[in-house]
Amino acid sequence: MTAEDTPNASDAASVPAGPESPDGATGRIVLLTTSHRVAPGLLSWPAWQLLHAADRVLCGDETHPQLPYLREAGVTVEHASPDAHRLVEECAGGRTVVVLPSGEGDRPLTDGLARLAGSGRVRMPDLELLPGSYDLPGARLLDLVQVMDRVRRECPWTSQQTHRGLAKYLIEEAYELVEAIEDGDREELREELGDVLLQVVFHARIAEEASGEEGDEPFSIDDVAGGLVDKLVRRHPHVFGDETALTAEDVHAHWNRTKAIEKQRVSVTDGVPVGQPALALAAKLSSRVRAGGLDVPLPQGEGVGYQLLALAARAEAEGTEPESALRAAARAYRDAIRAAEAGVDG
């Protein structure tokens, strides 16, 4: 690994500064921060350079997760928590002192250094902040899993929930997410996505506690994510394999072909949940019939149900999602009702 492998690292921190610094130089203080979401010992190359070149490395937390790895790498770490004045004195003569903050940070130290720097009465060493490790994309998902685990153990309500008991909340959250999408409210969209994600993590956490009896085998959120990754790779051979897809239609064909091999279904209706809203169900069945190349006339009968079925099938064939179309019309009707009520109140 080279310094170029770690973007955003401080260039200054990658240049060693040691006892050879000229007399009278003020030296420097470097706060070396690390992410608790990255395995201890996985530090950037500039961080390792700094640690080996520094005159002193200090850490006030004897349980800091990085300590065993630093010592194994030959870095001497002193257990010390000097105040701001003492730390500035330690840098006299151009010395470099590295401080490993605790997980909560060292607010008294940083506040003290800020006060000294702002006083104008003290010749300050260079103050630097060097991230030794960075959060990767998705890192906060690790926090979510940890928080969910603790809430499941310690919350009286959460600890009693089951898959069946939570099912209604998943449906509610899904509808609220759809509404946020239709409203175009970005802040609401972010929050509702979080609520849906909570349901996924919640159910996965419950699944970890399965007893294994009657085929009820436990699985974790990692199993859920791993299965999803495998599925995405399998169904995108044009991305992860040798297949070619130049259009969205090509991608759709790849997906359906791979899915058919995986599922081995005997009917085009297999896998269509009948519990979904009726218009969506009608449209999905119509879509499956067309995709399967079947010629199945719509059933004829009396009543509005058959009329709605025909409308749903026609909408789907024309590329319109009937559930969304009806919902949009219903929202317009709701707005008209409110406008009428406002006029009455006025």
Side-chain angles (χ1 to χ4, degrees):
M1 181 183 291
T2 65
E4 288 77 13
D5 294 325
T6 309
N8 301 323
S10 169
D11 292 336
S14 65
V15 181
E20 293 77 18
S21 300
D23 290 341
T26 55
R28 62 178 178 154
I29 299 170
V30 183
L31 298 180
L32 181 63
T33 61
T34 57
S35 171
H36 70 277
R37 303 180 188 95
V38 176
L42 296 179
L43 301 177
S44 65
W45 181 238
W48 282 117
Q49 284 185 304
L50 174 69
L51 287 164
H52 282 289
D55 296 289
R56 297 184 70 187
V57 179
L58 310 178
C59 182
D61 181 5
E62 290 183 304
T63 64
H64 197 293
Q66 299 289 347
L67 295 184
Y69 301 92
L70 300 186
R71 289 164 181 155
E72 185 177 352
V75 177
T76 300
V77 182
E78 305 172 44
H79 178 227
S81 301
D83 60 21
H85 285 279
R86 183 62 183 272
L87 193 56
V88 170
E89 292 173 356
E90 292 292 338
C91 295
R95 291 162 60 86
T96 295
V97 178
V98 177
V99 178
L100 286 164
S102 64
E104 293 76 26
D106 291 331
R107 186 66 179 270
L109 175 61
T110 54
D111 287 350
L113 290 171
R115 285 193 295 270
L116 285 179
S119 70
R121 297 191 298 269
V122 178
R123 190 180 181 197
M124 294 292 293
D126 293 334
L127 303 177
E128 301 173 18
L129 176 66
L130 175 62
S133 58
Y134 302 84
D135 286 346
L136 299 174
R140 294 310 301 271
L141 293 175
L142 300 176
D143 293 343
L144 173 58
V145 172
Q146 292 178 345
V147 169
M148 184 71 250
D149 185 61
R150 180 172 178 179
V151 171
R152 176 66 175 176
R153 292 195 313 266
E154 300 180 16
C155 172
W157 182 85
T158 304
S159 62
Q160 300 300 314
Q161 298 310 300
T162 64
H163 292 302
R164 290 185 180 275
L166 288 175
K168 62 181 180 181
Y169 298 111
L170 177 57
I171 295 172
E172 291 174 3
E173 299 298 355
Y175 278 123
E176 289 179 7
L177 173 58
V178 170
E179 185 172 359
I181 293 172
E182 292 176 345
D183 286 343
D185 188 328
R186 297 285 292 179
E187 183 63 24
E188 192 71 13
L189 174 62
R190 181 197 60 75
E191 181 176 347
E192 296 303 337
L193 283 169
D195 289 342
V196 171
L197 178 59
L198 169 60
Q199 294 300 311
V200 174
V201 176
F202 203 159
H203 280 279
R205 179 62 181 80
I206 294 173
E208 286 190 67
E209 303 167 7
S211 63
E213 300 175 358
E214 300 179 357
D216 192 17
E217 295 297 328
F219 60 82
S220 70
I221 188 66
D222 288 317
D223 298 313
V224 174
L228 178 56
V229 169
D230 292 343
K231 178 186 291 186
L232 287 173
V233 171
R234 286 196 311 271
R235 296 189 183 179
H236 289 81
H238 54 291
V239 175
F240 301 99
D242 299 327
E243 300 282 352
T244 300
L246 301 179
T247 66
E249 289 73 19
D250 292 340
V251 175
H252 192 63
H254 282 319
W255 183 278
N256 286 336
R257 183 167 59 250
T258 306
K259 186 175 181 179
I261 295 173
E262 292 173 5
K263 299 297 184 179
Q264 294 294 307
R265 289 169 173 163
V266 298
S267 169
V268 296
T269 64
D270 289 348
V272 177
V274 295
Q276 63 183 303
L279 279 179
L281 172 61
K284 190 65 176 180
L285 291 172
S286 176
S287 173
R288 287 289 183 89
V289 167
R290 289 196 305 108
L294 301 175
D295 183 13
V296 183
L298 293 173
Q300 301 298 314
E302 297 294 330
V304 70
Y306 290 95
Q307 296 173 24
L308 289 173
L309 175 62
L311 283 173
R314 191 184 80 186
E316 189 279 327
E318 295 174 353
T320 299
E321 208 285 296
E323 188 73 27
S324 297
L326 179 58
R327 191 162 48 246
R331 288 160 67 90
Y333 186 36
R334 180 199 60 183
D335 293 342
I337 293 172
R338 289 178 174 176
E341 289 173 335
V344 170
D345 292 341

